[in-house]
């Protein structure tokens, strides 16, 4: 979500006459923050302090989940301004107001180029900003913002506000423009994508949205992904839609957060483990090739050894392909942050984290091992110069496995077939047939030259 937000901020700033540059050369740094864990906030503060110390003239603007109120020191009471390094703060939906806020700080800059192109600060206008995409082949499209679920550990409903969905027509129009410009993979984004409605007053219709986006297959769209989904809204029609999609990726990321019903209740997750297992069973029946990833919080306040064991057993049975596992970290203003009496000792939390991680790795590595020797489709995300005139390319399979391979040219943005030769942990190395051809052909060519 932050990546996608940054692409919209980048569009507004470039319309206002600013240019992207290196961190150390910038007159203005915009820090797009995440507050899901304390560590993320600490990193943001560290980054801002480092740059303000190195150059006191640099202006620092902050946005994202840490910001409550748009403004600057003179007109905002956002507690963030107790931190000296920050000059401006803006809520992400107020992105269009950024140039106005900057005028006072950059008096020599000509802001007339920015003709209020994106209207005023509102979530509707925010959605209408066409992002300055970083990688044309792989794009992110927000379909909704905010969350109504109020999990007891989570700060999102307080920072991003209540759920607001974009009209279906607008989402599809943006997807179409992106596919026409070369997008091969679209990731639909939201805190709770599957509770998507068609605009504010519409019915829940995530399945319909998936099927509509899938129609862009005829224009060149190859992959549709989405994140994040919630088990409560993972209805049968969504599974059915997925099973019929040409652009489906056999990868589901469905956060469960814990394996004990008691802990799920304390987290206010509103489903049981049986319900979650039932959804996964339906997915695996309809689409047996699906790989499964989830999110887990280890060491939630009051988590007993027994409850932790339930989590381990659950993971063992489910055979996850990946888990984004986090150690519980209290976020201010959330109900879980007030459960101090039940907080678990950090050493114990770390030990549980490692024990759980071993279970996930056992299954994830064993399942990946079955792919060695197979030829798979990889969408290349980055390419860098290697030795011998070759390029090291990295991308993801449709199952979301990371693959590295050599090729005779940079292939960023291309979908190519790669044979998976070796698996090290979560990552594969592979070979492209054309590189094999170069390597085998080389001695023969040399012989011809020698003759
Ligand atoms: S559903 Fe996700 S975003 Fe919403 S409150 Fe729960 S964890 Fe946070």
């Amino acid at each position: 979500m932050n990546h996608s937000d940054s692409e919209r901020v980048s569009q507004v700033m470039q319309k206002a006459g600013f240019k992207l540059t290196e961190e150390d050369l910038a007159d203005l740094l915009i820090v797009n923050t995440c507050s899901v864990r304390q560590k993320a906030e600490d990193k943001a503060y560290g980054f801002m302090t480092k740059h303000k110390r190195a150059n006191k003239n640099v202006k620092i603007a902050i946005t994202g989940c840490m910001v409550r109120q748009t403004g600057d020191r003179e007109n905002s009471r956002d507690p963030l301004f107790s931190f000296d390094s920050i000059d401006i703060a803006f809520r992400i939906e107020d992105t269009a107001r950024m140039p106005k806020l900057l005028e006072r700080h950059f008096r020599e800059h000509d802001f007339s180029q920015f003709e209020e192109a994106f209207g005023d600060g509102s979530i509707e206008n925010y959605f209408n900003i066409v992002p300055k995409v970083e990688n044309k082949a792989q794009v992110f499209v927000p379909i909704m913002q905010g969350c109504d679920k109020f999990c007891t550990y989570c700060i999102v409903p307080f920072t991003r506000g209540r759920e607001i969905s974009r009209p279906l027509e607008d989402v599809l129009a943006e997807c179409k423009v992106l596919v026409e410009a070369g997008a091969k993979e679209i990731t639909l984004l939201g805190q709770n994508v599957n509770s998507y409605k068609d605009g504010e007053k519409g019915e829940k219709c995530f399945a319909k949205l998936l099927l509509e986006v899938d129609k862009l297959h005829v224009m060149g769209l190859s992959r549709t992904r989405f994140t994040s989904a919630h088990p409560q809204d993972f209805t049968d029609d969504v599974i059915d839609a997925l099973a019929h999609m040409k652009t489906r990726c056999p990868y589901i990321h469905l956060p469960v957060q814990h394996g004990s019903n008691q802990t799920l209740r304390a987290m206010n997750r509103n489903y049981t483990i049986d319900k979650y297992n039932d959804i996964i069973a339906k997915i695996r029946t309809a689409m047996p090739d699906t790989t499964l990833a989830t999110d887990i919080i280890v060491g939630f306040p009051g988590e007993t050894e027994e409850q932790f064991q339930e989590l381990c057993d659950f993971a063992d049975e489910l055979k996850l392909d990946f888990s984004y596992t986090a150690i519980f970290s209290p976020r201010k203003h959330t109900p879980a942050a007030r459960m101090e009496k039940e907080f678990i000792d950090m050493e114990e939390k770390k030990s549980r984290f490692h024990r759980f991680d071993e279970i996930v790795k056992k299954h994830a590595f064993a399942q990946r091992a079955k792919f060695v020797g197979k030829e798979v489709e990889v969408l290349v995300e980055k390419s860098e110069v290697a030795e011998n005139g070759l390029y090291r390319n990295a991308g993801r399979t449709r199952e979301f496995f990371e693959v590295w391979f050599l090729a005779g040219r940079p292939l960023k943005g291309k979908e190519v077939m790669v044979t998976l030769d070796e698996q090290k942990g979560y990552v594969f190395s592979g070979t492209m047939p054309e590189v094999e051809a170069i390597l085998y052909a080389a001695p023969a060519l040399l012989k011809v030259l020698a003759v």
Side-chain angles (χ1 to χ4, degrees):
M1 186 59 100
N2 275 22
H3 182 90
S4 156
D5 288 341
S6 294
E7 291 185 340
R8 278 174 156 75
V9 173
S10 178
Q11 174 71 284
V12 170
M13 294 313 298
Q14 290 184 58
K15 274 270 189 290
F18 285 72
K19 289 193 181 72
L20 277 172
T21 185
E22 299 296 319
E23 234 170 77
D24 298 334
L25 303 175
D27 301 308
L28 167 70
L29 286 167
I30 303 178
V31 186
N32 190 1
T33 59
C34 166
S35 56
V36 72
R37 278 184 254 166
Q38 187 59 42
K39 202 171 157 195
E41 289 196 14
D42 294 345
K43 262 171 112 176
Y45 283 125
F47 177 88
M48 292 186 285
T49 309
K50 181 182 102 181
H51 282 284
K52 203 64 164 187
R53 272 195 197 141
N55 173 11
K56 65 178 177 20
N57 293 323
V58 69
K59 299 292 174 199
I60 294 187
I62 181 168
T63 186
C65 282
M66 282 169 69
V67 178
R68 298 282 190 282
Q69 211 180 75
T70 297
D72 56 17
R73 282 186 181 281
E74 297 209 337
N75 54 31
S76 167
R77 278 177 301 160
D78 194 309
L80 278 173
F81 288 108
S82 60
F83 187 70
D84 287 343
S85 302
I86 300 172
D87 298 291
I88 299 149
F90 66 100
R91 288 177 60 88
I92 199 71
E93 55 265 42
D94 289 333
T95 297
R97 286 173 57 194
M98 254 306 265
K100 265 264 161 286
L101 284 167
L102 288 173
E103 276 180 352
R104 217 168 53 77
H105 298 271
F106 291 90
R107 292 192 193 280
E108 73 292 358
H109 184 77
D110 176 13
F111 282 91
S112 64
Q113 303 164 65
F114 184 77
E115 295 154 3
E116 303 277 332
F118 306 105
D120 208 351
S122 74
I123 193 71
E124 290 78 12
N125 287 338
Y126 168 75
F127 282 140
N128 288 335
I129 299 168
V130 178
K132 198 93 191 163
V133 295
E134 220 177 74
N135 175 359
K136 281 190 174 152
Q138 230 181 347
V139 295
F140 300 90
V141 177
I143 62 169
M144 46 99 66
Q145 275 272 9
C147 183
D148 292 344
K149 297 280 192 288
F150 289 92
C151 303
T152 53
Y153 52 83
C154 182
I155 192 80
V156 166
F158 305 100
T159 55
R160 296 260 178 178
R162 295 302 110 80
E163 277 177 22
I164 299 176
S165 293
R166 290 176 79 180
L168 187 101
E169 209 183 309
D170 292 4
V171 175
L172 293 177
E174 184 171 332
C175 290
K176 193 164 170 243
V177 168
L178 291 165
V179 174
E180 276 167 350
K184 293 200 170 63
E185 178 180 285
I186 289 180
T187 304
L188 303 172
L189 292 175
Q191 274 76 24
N192 233 313
V193 277
N194 49 336
S195 72
Y196 170 80
K197 301 179 190 77
D198 181 3
E200 264 326 86
K201 296 194 177 84
E203 292 285 296
K204 278 189 189 170
C205 62
F206 185 58
K208 182 176 172 194
L209 174 65
L210 285 174
L211 292 172
E212 289 296 325
V213 172
D214 190 55
K215 288 181 186 162
L216 298 175
H217 177 66
V218 291
M219 292 170 61
L221 180 68
S222 168
R223 302 171 172 204
T224 304
R225 298 192 190 276
F226 52 87
T227 192
S228 286
H230 193 289
Q232 207 185 327
D233 303 307
F234 218 100
T235 41
D236 292 353
D237 62 338
V238 172
I239 298 174
D240 194 50
L242 285 167
H244 287 92
M245 285 168 64
K246 292 198 170 66
T247 60
R248 174 181 76 90
C249 291
Y251 166 80
I252 297 280
H253 172 217
L254 188 56
V256 64
Q257 306 297 359
H258 210 275
S260 144
N261 284 332
Q262 244 174 306
T263 312
L264 287 178
R265 261 199 307 281
M267 289 175 162
N268 192 32
R269 287 295 286 181
N270 295 328
Y271 52 84
T272 61
I273 284 304
D274 281 351
K275 159 91 177 155
Y276 186 86
N277 283 336
D278 189 40
I279 298 168
I280 301 305
K282 283 179 184 166
I283 292 173
R284 285 179 168 165
T285 305
M287 298 160 281
D289 57 349
T290 306
T291 56
L292 176 67
T294 195
D295 293 356
I296 295 289
I297 297 175
V298 170
F300 187 78
E303 180 194 68
T304 61
E305 176 58 33
E306 251 174 28
Q307 289 163 357
F308 173 67
Q309 197 50 54
E310 280 181 65
L311 168 64
C312 295
D313 296 345
F314 161 80
D316 222 1
E317 244 168 70
L318 212 60
K319 299 185 174 52
L320 296 163
D321 293 277
F322 193 75
S323 170
Y324 297 91
T325 310
I327 289 178
F328 171 77
S329 135
R331 310 306 299 118
K332 245 192 216 164
H333 311 300
T334 61
R338 294 193 288 274
M339 300 177 186
E340 283 129 327
K341 286 195 184 125
E342 296 175 90
F343 279 4
I344 297 179
D345 171 70
M346 187 43 111
E347 284 313 305
E348 179 59 26
K349 284 198 285 191
K350 282 187 185 162
S351 148
R352 290 183 187 179
F353 173 90
H354 291 299
R355 281 159 61 196
F356 179 73
D357 194 41
E358 286 307 313
I359 296 171
V360 176
K361 277 189 201 152
K362 179 178 78 181
H363 295 293
F365 294 175
Q367 272 141 222
R368 274 169 179 71
K370 293 178 197 155
F371 281 78
V372 173
K374 286 193 180 168
E375 197 182 34
V376 294
E377 180 198 279
V378 175
L379 177 57
V380 181
E381 291 171 16
K382 56 183 165 193
S383 305
E384 50 192 47
V385 177
E387 288 160 8
N388 308 328
L390 294 174
Y391 287 83
R392 198 174 295 112
N393 293 280
R396 299 240 174 211
T397 68
R398 297 184 81 89
E399 295 80 8
F400 211 59
F401 296 153
E402 185 180 338
V403 182
W404 286 81
F405 63 97
L406 292 170
R409 58 188 194 282
L411 291 166
K412 186 174 171 184
K414 302 261 183 300
E415 264 177 332
V416 292
M417 296 308 289
V418 177
T419 305
L420 301 178
D421 301 324
E422 203 188 341
Q423 170 222 351
K424 273 199 188 133
Y426 287 106
V427 181
F428 287 96
S429 55
T431 320
M432 251 185 97
E434 73 166 36
V435 175
E436 258 177 295
I438 294 170
L439 294 177
Y440 287 124
L445 281 174
L446 286 176
K447 229 190 262 172
V448 172
L449 287 173
V451 168

